[in-house]
Amino acid sequence: MSSVTNGYSDNISKAIEALQNGRMILLFDLEGREAETDFTIPAKSVTPADVKWMRKDAGGLICVALDPHASEKLGLPFMADILRDASQRSESLNNIVEKGGDLKYDSRSSFSIWVNHRDTRTGIPDNDRALTINKLGEIVDRALDGEIPDFGKEFRTPGHVATLRAARTLVHERMGQTELSIALAKIAGITPAMVVCEMLDDNTGRALSKEDAIKYGKDQDLVFVEGGEVVKAYDLWLSRA
């Protein structure tokens, strides 16, 4: 049986410590869902080197998961809702906008808008994306501190950083890396704005297997956590809140 720290498993405690120190961890969602492992790191801690690391060693889409309450205060909608509204004026959009049953792994996606910070140039280089990601973390902090920031004053869309809006009740509503990473941020007491990027297999082009992700984590000294562990820790955190 794992040892525990403050009631959390040893593995979760190590993940919390890593995140509190701005370090990367590996986060697996659930067998039978996406069954994918994501690089995961606090948005405010990301450097251009971290962006390079994710795009080269992970290879998936670099996204920023955002706290649901901050998303509401910042006026960030779900992309599917934007397209659904637009589809009322466009028959072609109506045929492709996400509908119930379209996703094989969940009831809906968590995508919101794609943004660049206004201080970036093209928005795609590592330094530009790192700046946009850092600023997303900062604006989430301000929104949760009671401020009502002008999101459009700092960001523009379309852009090169995908934002993800976490479900209101997090892992009790949806079990994606979006919700799992925000739950971990809350447990760790850090800003609930988290970067996630799927790990892909260079040989097959598919999602990297769980076994290979665990091996990579050991080789790189990265904590590997599973969704089930996060849910248990989050429920414990909620019971103490």
Side-chain angles (χ1 to χ4, degrees):
M1 182 179 294
S2 299
S3 61
V4 293
T5 304
N6 295 325
Y8 300 124
S9 71
D10 184 57
N11 198 44
I12 287 291
S13 295
K14 289 178 180 177
I16 291 169
E17 181 181 6
L19 295 176
Q20 288 172 337
N21 286 287
R23 298 200 305 270
M24 194 82 73
I25 68 167
L26 302 182
L27 176 59
F28 180 83
D29 62 340
L30 195 67
E31 296 286 2
R33 193 182 177 277
E34 287 183 331
E36 294 177 352
T37 303
D38 283 24
F39 273 36
T40 305
I41 187 172
K44 288 174 65 177
S45 302
V46 165
T47 66
D50 291 322
V51 175
K52 176 183 176 182
W53 187 11
M54 286 184 279
R55 66 176 172 79
K56 290 179 73 68
D57 278 20
L61 190 62
I62 299 174
C63 305
V64 184
L66 303 173
D67 176 87
H69 306 294
S71 296
E72 286 184 12
K73 290 191 70 173
L74 295 171
L76 298 178
F78 287 109
M79 179 55 69
D81 289 340
I82 295 174
L83 295 174
R84 200 168 289 116
D85 289 343
S87 71
Q88 297 177 14
R89 302 180 296 277
S90 169
E91 184 175 344
S92 60
L93 269 180
N94 189 53
N95 291 333
I96 61 174
V97 67
E98 178 186 305
K99 298 179 178 64
D102 278 354
L103 303 185
K104 298 184 184 303
Y105 60 88
D106 212 322
S107 59
R108 62 171 176 79
S109 64
S110 60
F111 279 106
S112 183
I113 59 176
W114 293 59
V115 300
N116 286 342
H117 192 267
R118 292 190 180 276
D119 288 344
T120 63
R121 188 170 183 272
T122 66
I124 192 63
D126 296 342
N127 62 311
D128 273 0
R129 280 196 275 183
L131 175 62
T132 296
I133 290 166
N134 294 160
K135 294 297 185 180
L136 283 168
E138 291 176 11
I139 204 167
V140 164
D141 252 348
R142 288 156 48 200
L144 294 177
D145 282 345
E147 188 180 335
I148 305 178
D150 184 345
F151 192 82
K153 185 177 180 180
E154 297 188 44
F155 299 90
R156 58 183 171 84
T157 191
H160 293 87
V161 175
T163 62
L164 307 173
R165 178 172 164 168
R168 178 176 287 275
T169 59
L170 298 181
V171 296
H172 295 152
E173 183 176 337
R174 192 173 180 275
M175 274 283 288
Q177 270 90 352
T178 302
E179 290 74 24
L180 292 165
S181 65
I182 296 301
L184 276 171
K186 289 183 175 293
I187 296 166
I190 61 175
T191 302
M194 301 289 288
V195 183
V196 293
C197 181
E198 305 92 342
M199 298 184 76
L200 304 180
D201 189 314
D202 286 341
N203 295 316
T204 67
R206 298 177 181 274
L208 191 68
S209 71
K210 180 179 175 182
E211 293 72 26
D212 285 344
I214 291 172
K215 182 180 184 303
Y216 178 90
K218 288 179 179 178
D219 291 343
Q220 298 291 325
D221 195 26
L222 298 176
V223 182
F224 181 98
V225 294
E226 300 194 36
E229 295 179 274
V230 177
V231 172
K232 289 179 183 177
Y234 183 62
D235 285 343
L236 178 57
W237 179 81
L238 280 177
S239 72
R240 296 169 171 174

